[in-house]
């Protein structure tokens, strides 16, 4: 019963308020007809795609009765923002740290998941081409993770210095909490402070994001340079080499 004038815009608000960590699907259907209910002549071009043919409702007299638009909506439940995990290492050193990330509200009863895209399957016992659809039991739950950076510049600074690999997965059936234990390697070449985000998605539904803060402190002193004076008001010179770690 919504009336639209020619070239008028219609805004359709969509509210998404998930109650559980799972996937939700819905469809918004828009059907437009003339206000007086009359049909109008409209011929669908032969070269039109099948979607256009299905979107036009034709009456018995061959005229167009209405036009239908169908917009599928896929809702992904996302957990609240988690606390930042700080990884601190001295510059020109190498740090290996185990990081435990708690996924709260995992549902074991879903049977299908989204496309993994470029993310990796974190179950280390399965091959990279393992199917994403599982039977939903705790033993076969799969999680996709990706380390995301705030900008391309930050990616160029951190990507070669940070490594992340899942080493263990623990499941608590009573609390529905899955603990993913990662081995994080951080080998900074100079002092810095950068941030990244670990995005984890469960094939049974749910999205979790964990901020990571990488801090590289000042390195140790390389050497002590002693300059011995040769006399008053005379220059003393000492030479030393500096090697660049990059081009």
């Amino acid at each position: 019963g919504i009336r639209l004038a020619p070239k008028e815009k219609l805004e359709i608000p969509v509210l998404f308020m998930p109650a559980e960590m799972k996937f939700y699907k819905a469809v918004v259907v828009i059907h437009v007809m003339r206000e007086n209910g009359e049909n109008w002549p409209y011929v669908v071009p032969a070269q039109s795609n099948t979607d256009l043919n299905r979107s036009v409702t034709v009456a018995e007299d061959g005229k167009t009765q209405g036009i239908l638009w169908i917009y599928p909506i896929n809702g992904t439940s996302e957990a609240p923002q988690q606390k930042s995990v700080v990884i601190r290492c001295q510059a020109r050193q190498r740090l290996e740290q185990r990081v435990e990330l708690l996924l709260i509200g995992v549902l074991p009863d879903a049977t299908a998941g989204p496309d993994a895209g470029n993310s990796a399957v974190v179950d280390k016992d399965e091959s990279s081409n393992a199917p994403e659809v599982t039977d939903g039991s705790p033993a076969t739950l799969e999680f996709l993770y990706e380390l995301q950076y705030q900008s391309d510049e930050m990616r160029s600074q951190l990507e070669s210095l940070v490594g992340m690999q899942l080493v263990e997965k623990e499941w608590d059936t009573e609390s529905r909490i899955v603990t993913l234990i990662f081995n994080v390697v951080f080998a900074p070449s100079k002092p810095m402070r950068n941030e990244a985000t670990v995005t984890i998605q469960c094939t049974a539904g749910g999205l979790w994001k964990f901020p990571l803060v990488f801090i590289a402190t000042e390195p140790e002193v390389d050497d002590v340079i002693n300059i011995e004076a040769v006399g008053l008001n005379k220059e003393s010179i000492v030479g030393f080499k500096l090697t660049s770690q990059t081009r």
Side-chain angles (χ1 to χ4, degrees):
I2 301 176
R3 296 181 180 181
L4 284 180
K7 297 189 180 296
E8 185 179 356
K9 294 182 179 180
L10 172 65
E11 294 184 359
I12 302 176
V14 178
L15 174 65
F16 180 46
M17 188 172 60
E20 294 181 325
M21 296 295 289
K22 65 179 183 180
F23 297 112
Y24 293 86
K25 293 185 177 181
V27 175
V28 174
V29 179
I30 302 171
H31 191 202
V32 63
M33 298 176 293
R34 281 187 169 178
E35 186 178 7
N36 55 13
E38 296 180 358
N39 302 331
W40 67 93
Y42 176 72
V43 178
V44 179
Q47 64 271 20
S48 300
N49 55 38
T50 55
D51 292 337
L52 180 59
N53 293 329
R54 287 199 299 264
S55 65
V56 177
T57 56
V58 181
E60 295 179 357
D61 57 1
K63 294 183 178 181
T64 299
Q65 189 177 21
I67 303 177
L68 199 67
W69 288 272
I70 301 176
Y71 296 91
I73 297 178
N74 297 326
T76 301
S77 303
E78 182 175 337
Q81 183 73 24
Q82 306 295 318
K83 293 183 178 180
S84 299
V85 178
V86 178
I87 300 175
R88 188 186 303 269
C89 177
Q90 191 176 25
R92 298 206 300 269
Q93 299 294 326
R94 186 178 185 274
L95 172 70
E96 285 196 30
Q97 180 175 330
R98 290 170 66 91
V99 176
E100 295 186 3
L101 303 180
L102 302 182
L103 311 183
I104 301 175
V106 179
L107 291 180
D109 55 353
T111 57
D115 186 7
N118 294 327
S119 300
V121 178
V122 303
D123 198 333
K124 61 184 177 64
D125 295 329
E126 298 187 14
S127 60
S128 59
N129 58 355
E132 298 164 19
V133 178
T134 68
D135 59 7
S137 62
T140 58
L141 276 177
E142 293 183 7
F143 298 88
L144 314 174
Y145 76 91
E146 182 182 8
L147 189 59
Q148 298 178 342
Y149 304 91
Q150 296 180 345
S151 63
D152 292 338
E153 181 182 358
M154 195 165 294
R155 174 185 294 272
S156 64
Q157 294 178 5
L158 276 181
E159 199 168 28
S160 61
L161 308 178
V162 176
M164 190 171 186
Q165 182 182 11
L166 181 83
V167 293
E168 194 174 344
K169 178 178 64 176
E170 299 176 355
W171 167 267
D172 190 334
T173 54
E174 295 184 0
S175 61
R176 292 197 318 190
I177 296 178
V178 173
T179 302
L180 299 183
I181 302 176
F182 291 89
N183 184 47
V184 179
V185 178
F186 184 34
S189 58
K190 60 182 180 180
M192 67 173 65
R193 178 187 175 93
N194 287 330
E195 297 182 3
T197 301
V198 179
T199 301
I200 302 175
Q201 191 166 10
C202 178
T203 53
L207 183 68
W208 295 262
K209 294 182 179 181
F210 297 87
L212 299 181
V213 180
F214 294 94
I215 299 177
T217 58
E218 292 289 338
E220 294 182 357
V221 174
D222 294 283
D223 200 357
V224 177
I225 300 174
N226 295 314
I227 303 178
E228 184 177 350
V230 296
L232 293 175
N233 299 319
K234 293 183 179 182
E235 290 185 352
S236 295
I237 299 175
V238 62
F240 59 93
K241 294 182 179 180
L242 295 179
T243 303
S244 174
Q245 299 297 320
T246 63
R247 294 189 180 184

